[in-house]
Amino acid sequence: MVATEFADNPGSVDNFQYAVTGKDARQAFMHFIEQQLANFGDYQDAMLVDQPFLFHSLCSMYLNAGLLDVRWMCQKVEAAWRSEKVSLNAAEGFIRQLIGWREFVRGLYWLKMPDYAAQNYFSATTLLPSYFWSGKTKMRCMQQAISQTMEYGYAHHIQRLMITGNFALLAGLDVQAICDWYLAVYVDAYEWVELPNTMGMALFADGGELASKPYAASGAYVNRMSNYCKNCHYKVKDVTGEKACPFNALYWDFLDRNHEQLGQNARLQLAFKNWQRKTPEQQAAIKQHASVLLNKLEQL
């Protein structure tokens, strides 16, 4: 029905392989515990080319849809730790996401809505480039994160936060449009969990109600957490120039243009000191290159 009635919509149903019953969802989660949980703690933030799932459970969609119970999930993970099948950092890293972060996000949503949805701390209004719906971009990290999103309706938390979300933050993409995009493309996206994570954590559009600093990062972070940069059209160590990684100049420009709002943020003091150490000529060159990038986002 989806293929017939919504044939022109972004995405694909060709690789649909998810559980649609509680029984199958529980089987999927137990497979995660037996096969992947042991490596989750060490590699939950890792990203590899053409490896969309790695050691993640893919069970947030079942949990958010009501096919899994959060207490049951935590008990199964705890039992795996107690039986010494997994290390403490693997078990803690997973349970913390459920009864820690997830419940914090739920509370924030119900406390702050509906006004929360209208915030735009940096007055970001730039239109989304078309590759957000196709993955057709020369930026390898964005291509990987978006392409798998279109194929599977899935990307793990670091891809959402530090690739697509980070790029949207640095480029000043329209907050409402980005929030709508996350809600539209991910199979686990329900507004109560999607909106605070996107608006508050990825975009810092709430001015710090959810997070204590913007999760802004240059290409160095992507290079450290993935092998995307080795296969990229752009050079991750270059800040300016035709082949320079766009994340680099956009990162420094983001800090500079938002200095008034962020200059006193305690967690950003080192970043601002590093920016101030650059010569006026270096700063001018970076800001000029960032301006060029922002004017040709569609071609990146």
Side-chain angles (χ1 to χ4, degrees):
M1 183 189 73
V2 171
T4 301
E5 299 297 329
F6 305 101
D8 294 333
N9 281 22
S12 170
V13 296
D14 294 342
N15 292 304
F16 185 86
Q17 55 187 302
Y18 302 127
V20 294
T21 67
K23 178 181 178 180
D24 287 346
R26 289 189 293 274
Q27 289 179 344
F29 187 68
M30 292 309 297
H31 174 84
F32 162 71
I33 287 181
E34 294 294 332
Q35 301 295 329
Q36 295 148 292
L37 178 59
N39 288 307
F40 177 79
D42 291 333
Y43 300 111
Q44 61 178 302
D45 292 351
M47 298 173 285
L48 293 176
V49 169
D50 297 333
Q51 295 291 328
F53 306 129
L54 293 175
F55 300 106
H56 293 272
S57 73
L58 278 71
C59 287
S60 58
M61 62 196 80
Y62 310 140
L63 176 61
N64 293 347
L67 294 180
L68 288 178
D69 175 75
V70 67
R71 183 180 303 222
W72 177 86
M73 295 171 73
C74 291
Q75 288 172 341
K76 293 300 182 183
V77 173
E78 180 188 1
W81 168 67
R82 291 192 181 279
S83 63
E84 299 184 347
K85 291 181 179 179
V86 303
S87 64
L88 180 61
N89 76 315
E92 185 275 339
F94 192 88
I95 291 174
R96 157 169 61 89
Q97 300 287 346
L98 296 182
I99 64 174
W101 185 255
R102 187 172 185 267
E103 292 303 320
F104 168 62
V105 167
R106 185 203 299 270
L108 184 77
Y109 177 84
W110 290 110
L111 178 67
K112 298 292 185 178
M113 286 293 281
D115 295 341
Y116 189 79
Q119 298 183 91
N120 190 345
Y121 186 64
F122 296 121
S123 301
T125 58
T126 301
L127 296 177
L128 270 64
S130 62
Y131 44 78
F132 267 79
W133 300 101
S134 67
K136 295 180 180 178
T137 168
K138 295 189 291 290
M139 294 178 286
R140 186 62 159 158
C141 59
M142 289 284 284
Q143 178 270 323
Q144 285 283 297
I146 296 172
S147 293
Q148 74 172 62
T149 295
M150 293 298 121
E151 188 170 1
Y152 299 105
Y154 171 83
H156 70 69
H157 64 288
I158 293 299
Q159 292 172 313
R160 300 189 203 194
L161 175 64
M162 300 307 299
I163 302 299
T164 50
N166 183 27
F167 181 80
L169 172 68
L170 300 182
L173 301 187
D174 184 82
V175 171
Q176 186 62 60
I178 285 290
C179 290
D180 288 347
W181 181 81
Y182 275 88
L183 190 62
V185 299
Y186 290 115
V187 293
D188 60 358
Y190 292 74
E191 189 185 63
W192 71 264
V193 68
E194 174 275 328
L195 183 65
N197 275 300
T198 303
M199 173 176 285
M201 193 176 190
L203 303 179
F204 204 74
D206 63 0
E209 292 184 75
L210 180 142
S212 58
K213 79 173 185 72
Y215 279 83
S218 67
Y221 174 88
V222 180
N223 192 36
R224 186 165 63 250
M225 303 306 296
S226 76
N227 65 354
Y228 291 162
C229 301
K230 295 178 182 177
N231 302 276
C232 189
H233 168 83
Y234 297 102
K235 296 181 179 179
V236 67
K237 293 186 179 181
D238 289 359
V239 180
T240 59
E242 186 177 345
K243 286 292 188 73
C245 171
F247 280 78
N248 293 336
L250 291 178
Y251 169 75
W252 292 116
D253 185 68
F254 168 79
L255 291 178
D256 182 71
R257 71 177 184 264
N258 294 300
H259 184 271
E260 183 175 342
Q261 294 105 310
L262 300 175
Q264 300 305 311
N265 187 297
R267 295 184 66 191
L268 290 175
Q269 291 309 298
L270 179 60
F272 278 111
K273 286 180 181 178
N274 288 335
W275 171 244
Q276 290 159 5
R277 288 192 185 102
K278 297 183 184 298
T279 66
E281 292 77 16
Q282 289 174 320
Q283 291 183 350
I286 291 171
K287 290 166 66 174
Q288 171 60 28
H289 186 58
S291 177
V292 171
L293 294 172
L294 292 171
N295 285 322
K296 64 170 190 177
L297 286 178
E298 191 67 43
Q299 288 75 50
L300 296 183

